[in-house]
Amino acid sequence: MDVTTDAAAPWLIVGLGNPGPEYAGNRHNVGFMVADLLADRIGGRFKRAGKAQAQVIEGRIGPPGPLNRRVVLAKPMSYMNLSGGPVNALRDFYKVPVNHVVAVHDELDIDYGVLRLKLGGGDNGHNGLKSMTKAFGAEYHRVRFGIGRPPGRMQVADFVLKDFSSTERKELDYFVDRAADAVEALVIEGLERAQSTYNS
């Protein structure tokens, strides 16, 4: 569904991650990193969202006029595998249609730093997506941030819960910035135009 057909409804942009300083630099927390950058751009600070187990910022993105969008940025404060409950509570509270939800998350099957935007689909073993899909269905947008596969015989769970390597960190700010640009393009311009720019 194109964004212009339901322009009045707010967008719920969800950065997926695990709460707590010990997880802050993990690959699994790149969704939080993108959400934090978007918060800086909006000029807001995250605050606890009522009864929902999440931190939120309400704001607007896009130029003045018909392309200006009302958005709610959110970081679930549950652990990753329980993200669906807090996100669904926010979706209900802000009356956000499922196709106005954007999940920003790490993706193992994409090379580091590469982005893929899509609507709907499977969870590819990602526990945050699995929880969201179970809570309200699969027809939400995803901004998939590639982290690549674990080296050698390292377990996936160990890999995603490790910090980005020193080599990766040299480009991390650039890639996070590009992912934030992709989220804004998706919400303002629609999926197809955003895909044509960012699905490199």
Side-chain angles (χ1 to χ4, degrees):
M1 174 177 158
D2 191 81
V3 293
T4 55
T5 57
D6 197 5
W11 285 78
L12 176 58
I13 301 165
V14 181
L16 290 178
N18 286 306
E22 67 272 32
Y23 298 106
N26 289 180
R27 293 182 178 93
H28 222 18
N29 269 43
V30 74
F32 274 17
M33 298 174 194
V34 175
D36 285 339
L37 180 56
L38 287 166
D40 287 344
R41 292 182 180 184
I42 287 173
R45 295 183 64 175
F46 281 102
K47 63 180 189 297
R48 198 74 183 209
K51 294 180 180 177
Q53 201 175 356
Q55 292 183 351
V56 298
I57 296 173
E58 296 177 57
R60 304 192 76 90
I61 62 174
L67 294 179
N68 192 257
R69 307 284 184 229
R70 182 179 162 221
V71 298
V72 180
L73 284 178
K75 297 193 295 185
M77 291 289 109
S78 60
Y79 285 98
M80 179 74 83
N81 61 341
L82 300 173
S83 300
V87 176
N88 205 31
L90 293 173
R91 201 180 65 77
D92 286 345
F93 180 78
Y94 289 103
K95 297 178 172 53
V96 177
V98 173
N99 64 347
H100 273 216
V101 176
V102 181
V104 186
H105 64 92
D106 57 304
E107 178 62 61
L108 287 159
D109 286 339
I110 304 175
D111 290 341
Y112 173 62
V114 174
L115 298 175
R116 290 285 184 273
L117 282 64
K118 63 183 280 194
L119 173 64
D123 57 57
N124 202 23
H126 192 287
N127 288 330
L129 300 184
K130 194 176 295 182
S131 180
M132 287 175 60
T133 297
K134 184 177 179 182
F136 51 82
E139 290 305 302
Y140 52 91
H141 289 85
R142 298 99 190 274
V143 174
R144 305 157 71 202
F145 185 111
I147 60 169
R149 301 294 303 185
R153 296 186 177 184
M154 184 186 290
Q155 295 295 310
V156 165
D158 294 332
F159 179 68
V160 299
L161 293 176
K162 284 195 184 313
D163 287 1
F164 286 99
S165 70
S166 56
T167 303
E168 289 169 334
R169 283 199 295 272
K170 291 175 183 174
E171 294 184 291
L172 183 59
D173 287 349
Y174 168 76
F175 288 140
V176 168
D177 192 70
R178 193 163 183 271
D181 290 346
V183 172
E184 291 183 345
L186 168 61
V187 171
I188 295 165
E189 301 172 14
L191 179 61
E192 286 187 15
R193 289 190 66 179
Q195 283 175 323
S196 70
T197 304
Y198 293 98
N199 280 21
S200 51

